[in-house]
Amino acid sequence: ISQYITKAQGFFNQAIYWTKVTVEVSKQIYIREGLAPPSVAEIQQVYQGLYKKALEFAAQPKTSADGLIKVAKSLSKEEYLRFGAYFIQIVGLFSLGEIIGRRQIVGYPSFGPKEHHH
Amino acid sequence: STPVDPKTKANALIDSLPGNSFLSKTGILATTAAASVYAISSELYVVNDESILLVTFLGFIALISKTVAPLYGEMAKNRTDHVVGLLNQARADHVNAVKTRIDQVSNLKDVVSTTKALFEMSKETAALEAEAFELKQKVAVASEAKSVLDSWVRYEAQVRQHEQEQLASTVISKVQSELQNAKFQDKVLAQAVEEVERLFAKEK
């Protein structure tokens, strides 16, 4: 029995070790990718900028649209890849929020009466 | 073996990823994780028994690579060393062959200067031969001239001798014809008597 206990202990230690490694990797990603929540000032700055752009677009839709097209054309392949990666990350975070919100990984829980199959 | 510090291991894992300028190593991880979360959440990828099979298979592959790879690596290294040894040996043999050939050919290194000297000598020889031939011709001409002149001398000597003989015979024949003349005989006799008398007179 003692050898099984030793083996199990080894597996347990390995699991703990790799969990720690995963946590460290996550920390590194969190730090290097700047995933920390923005400050209030940053949120204000971004939303004020967006509000101004929306007003500009409402006032001069054609000019704004042309500007957007110009920016889109001027972007390089690398920048498209980077922004694509950011988009995937945002979608992933949104999905994570959904999972937390519905308290279930896949699908939504049903709270109604259970169906009876006759 | 003591396990590596989790922080160090994490950094090593991140560094081993194929990161580049526009998408960092951690960016790749974050994007992959986000895509996985989205795929699982949206039921684009359903985690079922096949997923467990896939994970097991990948684990098995990792295990195999960890155990078999070093053995294969060693075998490959031995093979590489063997081939490298053969190539080095071949190169060494080639170098030796070239060196031997160089040694053989180095004996002929003075061939140019020797040839030049021989050429100069041959030119000199040709010049001397030409001169010798010229002198031979001159000697031949001179000897020819000498023989011609000698023949002329001999001819003239013969002519002179012949003339002298003729002259002598003419004189003798004249003298003989004169001696036949009675008057001349008397005259000669008178002279002889006169001379005898003179001699006798001297004696006295």
Side-chain angles (χ1 to χ4, degrees):
Chain A
I1 293 166
S2 63
Q3 75 177 62
Y4 291 123
I5 290 166
T6 312
K7 220 171 212 180
Q9 221 168 2
F11 281 129
F12 185 67
N13 288 341
Q14 280 284 322
I16 288 169
Y17 174 73
W18 282 107
T19 307
K20 280 181 181 176
V21 170
T22 310
V23 167
E24 285 298 332
V25 169
S26 306
K27 267 190 202 172
Q28 286 292 331
I29 292 168
Y30 184 79
I31 293 160
R32 289 195 204 178
E33 290 300 304
L35 297 176
S39 64
V40 177
E42 282 173 335
I43 292 168
Q44 278 180 340
Q45 192 184 336
V46 168
Y47 279 100
Q48 275 171 3
L50 282 171
Y51 179 65
K52 275 182 188 172
K53 289 280 179 208
L55 284 176
E56 276 177 30
F57 187 75
Q60 293 175 314
K62 195 177 187 309
T63 315
S64 300
D66 287 346
L68 275 170
I69 289 161
K70 203 174 186 182
V71 167
K73 277 182 180 174
S74 70
L75 290 175
S76 65
K77 186 186 170 186
E78 282 83 2
E79 284 173 319
Y80 269 116
L81 273 168
R82 190 164 69 241
F83 290 130
Y86 290 158
F87 175 73
I88 291 166
Q89 286 174 24
I90 290 162
V91 168
L93 286 168
F94 177 77
S95 301
L96 195 64
E98 272 191 330
I99 289 167
I100 293 162
R102 67 193 177 206
R103 289 164 183 76
Q104 204 167 311
I105 291 171
V106 175
Y108 284 88
S110 56
F111 296 107
K114 286 180 182 174
E115 288 178 24
H116 294 287
H117 296 284
H118 300 291
Chain B
S1 62
T2 52
V4 187
D5 175 48
K7 204 168 196 174
T8 315
K9 185 73 176 173
N11 283 327
L13 281 171
I14 290 166
D15 288 336
S16 68
L17 289 169
N20 47 36
S21 58
F22 55 88
L23 207 60
S24 67
K25 293 170 189 289
T26 49
I28 289 170
L29 277 176
T31 309
T32 309
S36 305
V37 168
Y38 172 71
I40 292 164
S41 169
S42 309
E43 289 187 83
L44 290 173
Y45 181 77
V46 179
V47 180
N48 54 14
D49 49 1
E50 283 179 2
S51 302
I52 295 159
L53 190 67
L54 177 68
V55 169
T56 313
F57 175 70
L58 290 173
F60 180 70
I61 291 292
L63 196 70
I64 290 289
S65 66
K66 211 167 190 181
T67 52
V68 175
L71 297 171
Y72 176 76
E74 197 179 334
M75 185 269 285
K77 189 181 179 299
N78 289 338
R79 177 70 185 147
T80 308
D81 290 346
H82 174 65
V83 171
V84 166
L86 285 174
L87 289 171
N88 285 337
Q89 185 60 45
R91 183 165 58 187
D93 291 346
H94 183 69
V95 167
N96 286 334
V98 170
K99 276 183 180 171
T100 310
R101 186 74 186 121
I102 287 166
D103 292 340
Q104 285 174 355
V105 173
S106 64
N107 298 328
L108 305 171
K109 67 176 182 288
D110 299 328
V111 75
V112 173
S113 54
T114 310
T115 308
K116 277 183 180 173
L118 285 170
F119 184 65
E120 291 298 322
M121 202 188 287
S122 70
K123 280 205 284 188
E124 206 176 320
T125 308
L128 289 169
E129 278 180 353
E131 203 178 328
F133 179 73
E134 201 177 323
L135 290 169
K136 266 186 192 172
Q137 294 293 89
K138 280 181 181 175
V139 167
V141 167
S143 63
E144 185 71 26
K146 187 177 177 295
S147 66
V148 168
L149 288 169
D150 284 348
S151 70
W152 272 102
V153 166
R154 281 197 301 277
Y155 173 70
E156 282 178 357
Q158 281 173 356
V159 166
R160 208 177 295 119
Q161 195 180 344
H162 185 63
E163 280 176 352
Q164 281 173 352
E165 280 175 1
Q166 273 186 336
L167 184 67
S169 64
T170 307
V171 167
I172 289 164
S173 64
K174 269 191 176 181
V175 167
Q176 280 176 347
S177 67
E178 281 292 323
L179 284 172
Q180 297 297 323
N181 192 351
K183 277 183 181 179
F184 183 74
Q185 283 177 359
D186 287 343
K187 194 180 177 183
V188 169
L189 188 64
Q191 272 180 354
V193 169
E194 198 179 320
E195 267 187 39
V196 168
E197 282 177 352
R198 204 184 305 133
L199 282 168
F200 272 114
K202 269 184 187 177
E203 287 287 326
K204 282 180 181 178

